[in-house]
Amino acid sequence: MKTLIAWAVLALSLAFAAAPLVTSPFTGFTADQLPIPQIDPPVQPAGWAFSIWGLIYLWLIVSAAYGVWKRADADDWHRARLPLLVALGVGTPWLAIANASAIWATITIFVMAAGAIGAFLAAPRRDVWLARVPFGIFAGWLSAASFVSLGSTAAGYGVAMGQTGWAILCVILATLLALLVQARRPQAAEYGLTVAWALLAIVVANGLTVPGLVALASLAALIGGLALARIRK
């Protein structure tokens, strides 16, 4: 069973990476997907930040291939593979989901994030660069991206507050989640640094507007938390 799951992770990693090649690109929710169109919402990072997906796709494939080759029956890898399967299984059709429904895209990206965080927290202590690091980068980006989706969707449906309010709230929530997860594995800075990458891109996208300043403060808090964690390690 462990070997079968290892092969399933490799197959889904390949499918996950191939999905953008066979699915219409997703660059944000379109005007007809939300009652209140969200054009360049302040919660969304600058476009260059999304280039991290190339690294995520490639590293997950390398990790899965190594896992099949050298760690197919390993108990420590198996514990991380189970939540990773959830993230990859939901992530493979996610672009199609996002192009069809903002609400379902938001629900499923939180499921993806939960699976990726679970894989990161369960990652084996050995093979750091082939397991913990790619899982951490995957989880870090989804920790931020899930709240970006929530902020855009909630503002698009006019829930409680507008774009700026949801951008501020979601930046704060993403930072709190990152600090909580990072506290569980303080030595694994790749997770927090990936969330910091997303926060930096939000700062760049917003400049010195209120969301940008909140993202800058959150970035400083996250970097400070990472530094403190490394000192206490």
Side-chain angles (χ1 to χ4, degrees):
M1 180 60 72
K2 292 176 185 175
T3 300
L4 181 62
I5 290 175
W7 278 103
V9 168
L10 177 57
L12 278 176
S13 296
L14 291 167
F16 185 47
L21 303 177
V22 297
T23 309
S24 299
F26 177 74
T27 56
F29 299 124
T30 58
D32 61 347
Q33 285 183 280
L34 296 165
I36 304 171
Q38 299 296 294
I39 308 301
D40 294 326
V43 74
Q44 187 164 304
W48 49 262
F50 294 88
S51 63
I52 198 171
W53 273 114
L55 178 66
I56 292 170
Y57 289 139
L58 179 60
W59 218 331
L60 287 176
I61 291 171
V62 171
S63 172
Y66 178 81
V68 167
W69 179 37
K70 290 290 187 179
R71 302 286 187 256
D73 293 322
D75 288 334
D76 52 354
W77 275 69
H78 181 69
R79 286 190 293 271
R81 284 184 181 123
L82 296 176
L84 185 60
L85 275 176
V86 173
L88 295 172
V90 176
T92 298
W94 188 83
L95 289 174
I97 294 170
N99 283 318
S101 168
I103 291 176
W104 279 107
T106 301
I107 292 170
T108 51
I109 200 171
F110 272 97
V111 175
M112 284 174 63
I117 290 170
F120 166 62
L121 293 177
R125 295 189 178 278
R126 59 177 170 166
D127 303 320
V128 169
W129 291 98
L130 288 164
R132 196 197 76 194
V133 172
F135 300 169
I137 294 172
F138 186 33
W141 180 257
L142 287 174
S143 293
S146 56
F147 284 101
V148 170
S149 183
L150 174 62
S152 297
T153 301
Y157 277 90
V159 179
M161 48 192 166
Q163 281 187 336
T164 298
W166 276 106
I168 293 169
L169 177 61
C170 287
V171 164
I172 293 171
L173 291 176
T175 305
L176 290 175
L177 173 62
L179 290 170
L180 287 172
V181 173
Q182 190 68 69
R184 296 281 303 277
R185 298 203 78 164
Q187 77 281 12
E190 62 277 354
Y191 170 82
L193 290 174
T194 305
V195 179
W197 168 267
L199 291 175
L200 176 61
I202 293 174
V203 174
V204 172
N206 286 275
L208 297 180
T209 62
V210 174
L213 292 173
V214 171
L216 183 60
S218 295
L219 176 60
L222 182 56
I223 296 299
L226 279 168
L228 183 62
R230 300 291 288 181
I231 291 170
R232 290 182 173 179
K233 183 178 68 170

